[in-house]
Amino acid sequence: MRLTLNIWRQKSPVDKGRMVPYTLDNVSEHMSFLEMLDVLNEQLITKGEEPIAFDHDCREGICGSCGFVINGVAHGPRRGTTVCQLHMRSFNDNDELFLEPWRAAAFPVLKDLIVNRSSFDRIIGAGGYISAPTGSAPDGNAILVPKPESDMAMSAAGCIGCGACVAACPNASAALFTSAKIAHLGLLPQGQPERHSRALHMVAQAHEEGFGNCTNIGECEAVCPKGIQLENIARMNRDFLTGAVLYRDPQAEAGAG
Amino acid sequence: MTSPASPIARTLRFYEAPIGKKAVMALSGLVLVAFVLGHMLGNLQLYLPPGPDGKHALDAYAEALQHNAPLLWGARAVLTLSVLAHILSALQLAQLKIAARPIPYVRHTPIASTYASRTMYWSGPIVLAFLIYHLLHFTTGQAHPNFQPLQVRANVINGFSVWYVSLFYIAAMAMLSTHLYHGVWSMFQSLGLAHPAYTPKLKLGAKAFAVLIAAGNISMPLAVLTGLVK
């Protein structure tokens, strides 16, 4: 098939950037979207042009590296699919496609379709962990986890941190990502001690990074390649609001040594 | 230095986060939703027949409210505060939204959100403009051609007899309904209340509520225009 591709080209973080049109012939429907871009890049390199930069790693939909916006939809038209797992059979001959990087103040463009997602790492650093003694693994079933909670935590843990939720959100909010981490840890017994401080710190960090607020419209849930649900955002709101209202200063009287 | 647990620090920390602002928006919205329902039910007395003393139910209701100063001014104070809190949080959240995506998409295709949810920043200000007009029209009377204090029924009928006034009311109620269509459910989500067993029913209930408010309120100008209420 033959495609017209309008791709965002930006040399560096300070370059202004613009859409550049390309045409690509003989695209096989069996190619993945990234393989199609590989073919285009081969042609660009042969012509002595700069290839299109895009993030990718595992190419099996589990690492969270890849992702850009295709015709206004993060990760393209197929639901529950990262762009590396999207195949050209999802498109038609003579389609015109617009490829743009995730757009958010907190995701500055590094080059072409690659954005800097370090802000996500800093949100995790602010509280997306549990404090636990390391060493040998605990005995199986030594800590009981009810099945429904385990199911919900596992679903939330499915988040690969690709950033599609931010890209699709009209407010560029990181609510779905942040809430997935908060729910994943906050649902499990090991996550309880830091449950409220985690929500307070991670939410504050997301705000600090310049992500917008959630308006509950659900675009994030629709583009999420891992099916992370909006219910997690309600859980995050609940943990944050409870944490903010019930906050206490640490007291030195007991156990001050 | 104020302690991080002091009431001021607590309130600031709460409100500084977008989630705190959304909670303020949700709680003030809840007050306004309750008012919108009560206001509509009160006004639907337009359809009731006059009592044995010949007084119309709507006029008697208005008089009862006017003569209960603590209730009237208490309600007005709570409503004004709610409207201000709703607007302040909306403005601050809008600012965040604008700052969060400085470069727009060339193509942006919504795939899951409703029209109502995407246009909250439009339906809100339109409803506010309507609110100001509505107060000048039926409460203080400056925007009413033939305003008689406490003659609510007559004022309503005279007011709605002008077709373009009625049309504006109908359009504004459609906007309010759109706002509620998303807002009533969104309120619960913002406060952290979601559950797979209840959320779908809640969403349906919120939509039904929005339609009910629109139907009840729009029926009144229509009834006057068609001559059903004279």
Side-chain angles (χ1 to χ4, degrees), chain B residues 197-206:
Chain B
Y198 308 120
T199 300
K201 294 189 180 76
L202 195 63
K203 280 186 170 178
L204 199 67

Side-chain angles (χ1 to χ4, degrees), chain A residues 166-236:
Chain A
V166 174
C169 176
N171 312 300
S173 170
L176 196 67
F177 166 79
T178 312
S179 73
K181 305 305 172 188
I182 288 173
H184 160 205
L185 299 171
L187 277 158
L188 297 172
Q190 294 91 332
Q192 292 312 305
E194 288 146 325
R195 181 168 170 184
H196 291 128
S197 66
R198 175 183 305 118
L200 290 177
H201 290 134
M202 291 180 77
V203 166
Q205 188 65 38
H207 181 39
E208 184 93 344
E209 297 293 344
F211 290 105
N213 63 291
C214 175
T215 47
N216 308 328
I217 80 165
E219 287 292 337
C220 53
E221 185 184 53
V223 298
C224 178
K226 296 296 151 187
I228 304 296
Q229 292 183 343
L230 227 47
E231 191 194 343
N232 292 308
I233 298 183
R235 173 171 289 276
M236 167 176 76

